[in-house]
């Protein structure tokens, strides 16, 4: 199968493959759309079952970044990179430096940042070879790590979902299940716990579960059991495609609002959720806090100043955007996913969208 006939191919501008035999690096970069600016998206390292799974992931993720940046009002395009390998066993400084060499081959059309399986420290090593790295600014509160901003954006978006679904102004006493309590999921859980929510968690790594149980008072459940819980809200914060024909029928929730990318296995599953009476917060709208933060970090690198207050205000606008999507879906009878897609496509579909595509990145 060629790239052009791949089911996840969506008129991507560029898909590049790279192998460095010396370091063992096998990586893919996908640039989806650069109408609004250079493609920016994280570098994921994951032990994919095969190359086809990695390609499918990077194609889907890069497309989502285009929509995410457009909905967040950023002058950025969408791209993503994946490194094929176990980040806990195969990551080395040599491999990361080779990734920097790979970035340079695209000449700035794609800029990377941390993602699942990578960290700020990793980005700094990649940055030894390439200037096309963001999310490493020292002036940012968390040393460049966008995970806290992603979690905060999901939190404010989740509150908007609760307000729309139940008319609630607080989360006290709400039962929330979180699938994946890594960097983002744990921080989301902390914010939810502080807001009075009762937490149920699962993760593929036992140490992440133990931390959530010990520090957040969460109840641990099995990886498959998470879909059967009778809770108010489900927050997927791991990998994508977990809302499918099998899992949706098992859900007993009123709303879904989480940080994971590409939560819907197929576009039609948005309609299935709607028919089940489950309010769905489109993932790339609610999880945009990280890319917003990275965007301002990139501006800060150019202008010499990172404005934390401005970043927080921009992230909090996710709640307003989320409510707009919910309202338009109610008015049109359409799914929230379809409404969000149409709004995003209106924004990135033209070169002069958002008053020009001046780049915030180098």
């Amino acid at each position: 199968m060629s790239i052009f006939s791949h089911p996840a191919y969506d008129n991507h501008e560029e898909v590049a493959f790279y192998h460095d035999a010396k370091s063992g690096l096998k990586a893919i970069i996908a640039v989806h759309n650069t109408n609004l600016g250079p493609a920016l998206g994280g570098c994921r390292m994951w032990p994919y079952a095969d190359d086809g799974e990695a390609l499918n992931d990077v194609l889907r993720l890069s497309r989502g970044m285009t929509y995410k940046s457009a909905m967040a009002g950023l002058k950025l395009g969408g791209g993503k990179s994946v490194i094929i390998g176990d980040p806990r066993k195969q990551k080395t400084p040599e491999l990361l430096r080779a990734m920097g060499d790979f970035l340079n081959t695209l000449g700035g059309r794609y800029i990377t940042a941390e993602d699942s399986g990578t960290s700020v420290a990793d980005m700094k090593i990649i940055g030894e070879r390439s200037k096309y790295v963001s999310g490493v600014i020292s002036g940012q509160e968390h040393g460049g790590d966008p995970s806290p901003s992603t979690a905060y954006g999901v939190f404010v978006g989740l509150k908007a979902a609760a307000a729309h679904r139940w008319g609630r102004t607080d989360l006290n006493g709400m039962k929330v299940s979180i699938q994946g309590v890594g960097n983002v999921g744990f921080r989301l859980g902390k914010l939810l716990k502080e807001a009075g929510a009762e937490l149920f968690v699962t993760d593929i790594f036992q140490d992440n579960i133990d931390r959530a149980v010990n520090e957040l008072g969460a109840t641990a459940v099995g990886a498959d059991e998470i879909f059967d819980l009778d809770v108010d809200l489900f927050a997927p914060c791991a990998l994508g495609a977990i809302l499918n024909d099998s899992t949706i029928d098992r859900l007993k929730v009123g709303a879904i609002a989480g940080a994971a990318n590409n939560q819907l296995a197929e576009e039609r599953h948005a309609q299935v959720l709607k028919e089940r009476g489950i309010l769905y917060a489109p993932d790339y709208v609610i999880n945009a806090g990280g890319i917003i933060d990275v965007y301002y970090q990139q501006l800060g690198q150019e202008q010499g100043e990172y404005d934390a207050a401005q970043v927080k205000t921009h992230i909090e606008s996710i709640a307003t955007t989320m409510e707009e999507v919910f309202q338009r879906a109610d008015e049109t009878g359409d799914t929230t996913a379809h409404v969000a897609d149409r709004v995003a496509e209106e924004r990135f579909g033209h070169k002069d969208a958002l008053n020009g595509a001046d780049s915030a990145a180098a």
Side-chain angles (χ1 to χ4, degrees), residues 151-236:
Y152 183 59
V154 173
F155 178 67
V156 299
L158 184 151
K159 289 197 295 182
H164 190 85
R165 178 68 175 78
W166 296 287
R168 297 191 56 147
T169 58
D170 67 84
L171 303 178
N172 191 48
M174 286 193 67
K175 294 181 178 180
V176 181
S177 57
I178 305 177
Q179 182 192 45
V181 279
N183 287 338
V184 174
F186 179 81
R187 288 183 169 96
L188 173 63
K190 185 176 181 180
L191 292 168
L192 288 167
K193 181 67 175 179
E194 291 170 352
E198 182 180 356
L199 306 179
F200 301 82
V201 303
T202 193
D203 196 283
I204 62 173
F205 298 116
Q206 187 61 44
D207 54 342
N208 286 345
I209 294 175
D210 293 342
R211 181 175 62 159
V213 170
N214 295 331
E215 297 184 28
L216 304 179
T219 300
V221 301
D224 190 59
E225 185 185 355
I226 198 78
F227 298 108
D228 299 313
L229 299 181
D230 188 0
V231 296
D232 299 300
L233 197 143
F234 175 40

Side-chain angles (χ1 to χ4, degrees), residues 239-354:
L239 296 181
I242 49 83
L243 299 175
N244 52 53
D245 291 332
S246 173
T247 60
I248 292 176
D249 285 343
R250 297 162 56 187
L251 294 175
K252 305 178 186 69
V253 301
I256 298 173
N261 289 306
N262 299 320
Q263 294 170 25
L264 301 172
E266 299 177 36
E267 185 177 345
R268 64 182 177 84
H269 289 120
Q271 182 63 36
V272 178
L273 289 172
K274 178 179 171 60
E275 292 170 357
R276 288 283 312 277
I278 300 174
L279 179 66
Y280 172 63
D283 47 49
Y284 62 80
V285 180
I286 196 171
N287 69 13
I291 196 68
I292 291 171
D293 194 334
V294 169
Y295 172 80
Y296 281 99
Q297 289 189 51
Q298 198 70 23
L299 279 181
Q301 287 177 315
E302 288 188 346
Q303 301 174 1
E305 181 181 3
Y306 173 84
D307 190 335
Q310 187 177 17
V311 174
K312 184 178 181 182
T313 298
H314 198 146
I315 292 172
E316 289 175 345
S317 72
I318 289 174
T320 303
T321 304
M322 203 74 270
E323 178 56 28
E324 179 185 349
V325 170
F326 294 150
Q327 290 286 0
R328 286 182 59 168
D330 287 347
E331 293 167 1
T332 63
D334 210 341
T335 67
T336 55
H338 190 264
V339 166
D341 281 356
R342 299 295 81 79
V343 174
E345 287 162 3
E346 290 168 5
R347 296 184 179 184
F348 72 75
H350 303 285
K351 295 279 187 183
D352 59 352
L354 291 181

Side-chain angles (χ1 to χ4, degrees), residues 26-210:
K26 291 183 178 179
I28 310 171
I29 294 176
V31 175
H32 178 254
N33 185 287
T34 58
N35 281 356
L36 299 182
L40 194 152
C43 175
R44 172 170 293 185
M45 185 171 184
W46 198 256
Y48 294 101
D50 52 48
D51 298 349
E53 186 178 79
L55 176 60
N56 186 69
D57 202 29
V58 77
L59 290 174
R60 283 169 57 88
L61 289 168
S62 56
R63 177 185 183 275
M65 292 306 300
T66 298
Y67 285 71
K68 183 184 297 188
S69 291
M71 285 298 282
L74 305 176
K75 295 179 181 180
L76 293 172
K80 206 78 172 186
S81 58
V82 298
I83 297 174
I84 301 171
D86 188 333
R88 296 194 171 197
K89 299 177 180 178
Q90 296 172 275
K91 188 192 301 177
T92 65
E94 291 75 23
L95 180 143
L96 294 171
R97 293 186 184 102
M99 188 64 193
D101 294 336
F102 185 18
L103 289 176
N104 291 336
T105 66
L106 274 75
R109 284 171 48 75
Y110 168 71
I111 300 163
T112 198
E114 73 143 31
D115 202 292
S116 300
T118 62
S119 65
V120 173
D122 296 334
M123 293 303 107
K124 290 181 178 178
I125 295 174
I126 293 174
E128 293 175 11
R129 292 281 183 84
S130 177
K131 65 179 180 179
Y132 305 117
V133 179
S134 193
V136 294
I137 190 169
S138 59
Q140 194 253 22
E141 180 182 0
H142 302 281
D145 182 2
S147 299
S149 291
T150 302
Y152 183 59
V154 173
F155 178 67
V156 299
L158 184 151
K159 289 197 295 182
H164 190 85
R165 178 68 175 78
W166 296 287
R168 297 191 56 147
T169 58
D170 67 84
L171 303 178
N172 191 48
M174 286 193 67
K175 294 181 178 180
V176 181
S177 57
I178 305 177
Q179 182 192 45
V181 279
N183 287 338
V184 174
F186 179 81
R187 288 183 169 96
L188 173 63
K190 185 176 181 180
L191 292 168
L192 288 167
K193 181 67 175 179
E194 291 170 352
E198 182 180 356
L199 306 179
F200 301 82
V201 303
T202 193
D203 196 283
I204 62 173
F205 298 116
Q206 187 61 44
D207 54 342
N208 286 345
I209 294 175
D210 293 342

